[in-house]
Amino acid sequence: MAVRDFIKKGMIEGETETLERGNCIFRKGDQASFLYLVTQGSVALAGYTTGIDEQVVAPPDFLLGITDLLHETYSFTAYTLEHTELIRIERDAVQKALQENPMLRLYLLKMMSWEASLTKTIYE
């Protein structure tokens, strides 16, 4: 089961957002209040840990900000590379759902691991 399924079943609330190419979703150092599920389009991540301006294109159903779920601020900047559709999810809602659903916990741990290894690799 993916995050989109949890949203469809009403277990997590999300708000649809559409952004055009070049829009910033969040910046490194901004308050990490939301996670963003990319449902269509592509997103670049920059300055994840090293400050180097590199890009990783997030595939559809990629959950932006998951690695910062336990942090106060975002550790990278995310911006759109094309017309992109997102679902904005409050961080507090995800943390609450994690306590209630072990399947969601497992899925998000997998996403955190995948995102962390992917972004680390591009900077090496």
Side-chain angles (χ1 to χ4, degrees):
M1 183 177 284
V3 173
R4 194 187 298 218
D5 296 325
F6 286 96
I7 293 169
K8 284 181 183 177
K9 291 182 178 192
M11 299 169 85
I12 300 175
E13 291 185 28
E15 187 174 317
T16 304
E17 189 172 329
T18 303
L19 299 173
E20 295 305 318
R21 180 181 182 193
N23 283 314
C24 183
I25 301 167
F26 55 80
R27 287 180 174 32
K28 181 177 179 176
D30 285 354
Q31 183 71 29
S33 302
F34 298 97
L35 302 180
Y36 296 85
L37 182 68
V38 180
T39 58
Q40 185 176 350
S42 58
V43 174
L45 309 178
Y48 181 74
T49 56
T50 62
I52 299 170
D53 192 21
E54 294 286 338
Q55 297 182 1
V56 175
V57 177
D61 287 332
F62 186 87
L63 192 58
L64 294 170
I66 187 63
T67 56
D68 294 319
L69 185 63
L70 302 176
H71 301 118
E72 293 297 316
T73 61
Y74 295 110
S75 58
F76 57 92
T77 297
Y79 58 93
T80 58
L81 294 173
E82 62 183 330
H83 175 89
T84 302
E85 294 179 12
L86 309 158
I87 299 174
R88 183 177 59 196
I89 308 164
E90 287 190 29
R91 184 177 90 167
D92 293 343
V94 173
Q95 289 175 327
K96 181 180 176 194
L98 283 171
Q99 300 302 316
E100 298 170 356
N101 193 303
M103 289 299 292
L104 180 61
R105 269 196 307 273
L106 181 62
Y107 177 77
L108 292 182
L109 283 170
K110 180 180 170 186
M111 288 292 295
M112 289 172 78
S113 173
W114 183 77
E115 181 182 322
S117 66
L118 180 64
T119 52
K120 182 180 178 195
T121 302
I122 67 156
Y123 293 112
E124 291 178 347

